[in-house]
Amino acid sequence: MMHHQRPHVDRYTCEETARRLDDYLDRELTSREMEMVREHLETCAACAGGFAFEASVLAELRSKLRRIAMPVDLETRIVSALAAARLEESDD
């Protein structure tokens, strides 16, 4: 008996992608989740623009953190503030 597989239509919405961006940047997702975020970013210009901005902010932050001693939780607080701001924007 042949099994017919449904075409693969799993896609993250913008909201699902936004919730995972921080973990995506930190490579803390499963390989499947990483792939699904990447697929969404490749097809959604709005999310890709937000991702590029956040990635550049975090890259700059990390380079500065390497040069100066900062409180251990500062990066976490900044990432959380970025995430909260992003959620407020999506609610508008």
Side-chain angles (χ1 to χ4, degrees):
M1 178 178 207
M2 278 182 67
H3 292 287
H4 293 287
Q5 291 186 332
R6 291 190 329 218
H8 191 67
V9 293
D10 287 348
R11 285 264 188 263
Y12 280 159
T13 63
C14 294
E15 184 181 341
E16 289 169 326
T17 298
R19 279 202 311 264
R20 290 172 173 86
L21 276 186
D22 294 332
D23 289 339
Y24 179 80
L25 284 165
D26 292 333
R27 293 173 177 78
E28 293 177 353
L29 299 174
T30 66
S31 59
R32 178 69 187 130
E33 288 172 319
M34 294 287 287
E35 180 184 331
M36 288 181 67
V37 170
R38 199 167 26 252
E39 284 175 7
H40 185 90
L41 293 174
E42 287 170 0
T43 58
C44 180
C47 287
F51 168 75
F53 172 75
E54 188 163 325
S56 69
V57 168
L58 287 177
E60 180 68 19
L61 173 65
R62 286 181 178 129
S63 74
K64 284 183 167 54
L65 286 175
R66 279 193 287 272
R67 282 182 267 150
I68 54 177
M70 291 259 184
V72 176
D73 66 336
L74 180 62
E75 183 176 2
T76 303
R77 293 197 327 250
I78 292 171
V79 168
S80 296
L82 283 171
R86 190 172 57 243
L87 283 176
E88 284 176 19
E89 281 180 11
S90 68
D91 288 343
D92 291 344

